[in-house]
Amino acid sequence: ASSAASDVYKRQIVNDTIKTLPNRTREIFYERYLEQKSYKTIAENFGISVKGVEFHVTKSLNVLRKKLKDYL
């Protein structure tokens, strides 16, 4: 049960952390990981370069890693 509670807690941390991201970074994160769109497709959707998408994805993952460091 402890593991299940821990998973729920980690999921809550992830959800809360994602909500704190800047709008564009959050939207790109959702498109990449929830909708599983390619970097190229996301870049076209937002009118930015693939490098721009990489920047936002890296930014969001770094924030998540920092928040979850005690659980990884």
Side-chain angles (χ1 to χ4, degrees):
S2 174
S3 179
S6 178
D7 288 346
V8 168
Y9 184 67
K10 282 186 265 188
R11 207 168 292 124
Q12 188 61 49
I13 292 171
V14 169
N15 288 335
D16 290 348
T17 302
I18 291 168
K19 290 176 188 173
T20 70
L21 295 171
N23 287 343
R24 179 171 271 205
T25 302
R26 183 175 60 251
E27 290 167 3
I28 289 171
F29 179 87
Y30 280 137
E31 287 201 12
R32 179 68 186 132
Y33 292 103
L34 298 178
E35 299 175 20
Q36 299 182 335
K37 293 183 180 176
S38 70
Y39 282 79
K40 184 176 184 232
T41 299
I42 296 167
E44 291 168 357
N45 289 349
F46 284 89
I48 61 175
S49 67
V50 170
K51 285 284 186 198
V53 174
E54 290 173 2
F55 167 81
H56 287 284
V57 168
T58 300
K59 181 178 180 178
S60 59
L61 292 176
N62 286 339
V63 170
L64 284 168
R65 271 190 210 99
K66 189 180 289 185
K67 289 287 186 182
L68 291 168
K69 70 180 184 298
D70 295 334
Y71 304 96
L72 299 176

